[in-house]
Amino acid sequence: MMTRNIPTVLLASALLLAVAGCSDRGTEPITGGSTDTTVSFAADLQPIFNQTCLTCHGTFVSGGLDLTPAVAWANLVGVAATGNPSLQRVIPGNPEQSVLYLKIIGDGSVGNRMPEGGVLDVDTIEQFRMWIVQGAENN
């Protein structure tokens, strides 16, 4: 008679069920970090500016940057960064060279992290990165 290790059999069975039960066998699209989801400047990013940035970059216009809805996109994309005109605030397709992205990830080479006194969550930072990767459209 063959003796089985019951905990091992139970673990193997549970693992098999978990893998079989969670797999869609490639029928569902992969989401999260994909360039398939278009980030909208107006619908996704402007509300973030409105909530976290307008205290300094609204009527006060800190650093020469006005992020109010009527002018935010035009003040970001292809515009030289204040204090370092050799850099641009947003370079479409290139977040790693865009001052906006470098500031929100806290890259000290471009000054203080933004928003000042806070940190955006990882998903929000990823939205900004994806918007830039996708061409920084005024959409």
Side-chain angles (χ1 to χ4, degrees), residues 23-94:
S23 175
D24 64 12
R25 292 173 177 62
T27 60
E28 293 296 318
I30 297 171
T31 58
S34 169
T35 57
D36 294 343
T37 303
T38 301
V39 178
S40 165
F41 183 81
D44 298 320
L45 303 184
Q46 188 62 53
I48 298 165
F49 291 141
N50 295 347
Q51 182 180 5
T52 62
C53 306
L54 291 185
T55 301
C56 296
H57 295 287
T59 11
F60 182 62
V61 191
S62 178
L65 178 57
D66 182 351
L67 292 174
T68 55
V71 296
W73 184 87
N75 285 336
L76 288 170
V77 180
V79 176
T82 303
N84 196 338
S86 65
L87 299 175
Q88 290 186 12
R89 290 176 174 160
V90 173
I91 300 170
N94 194 343

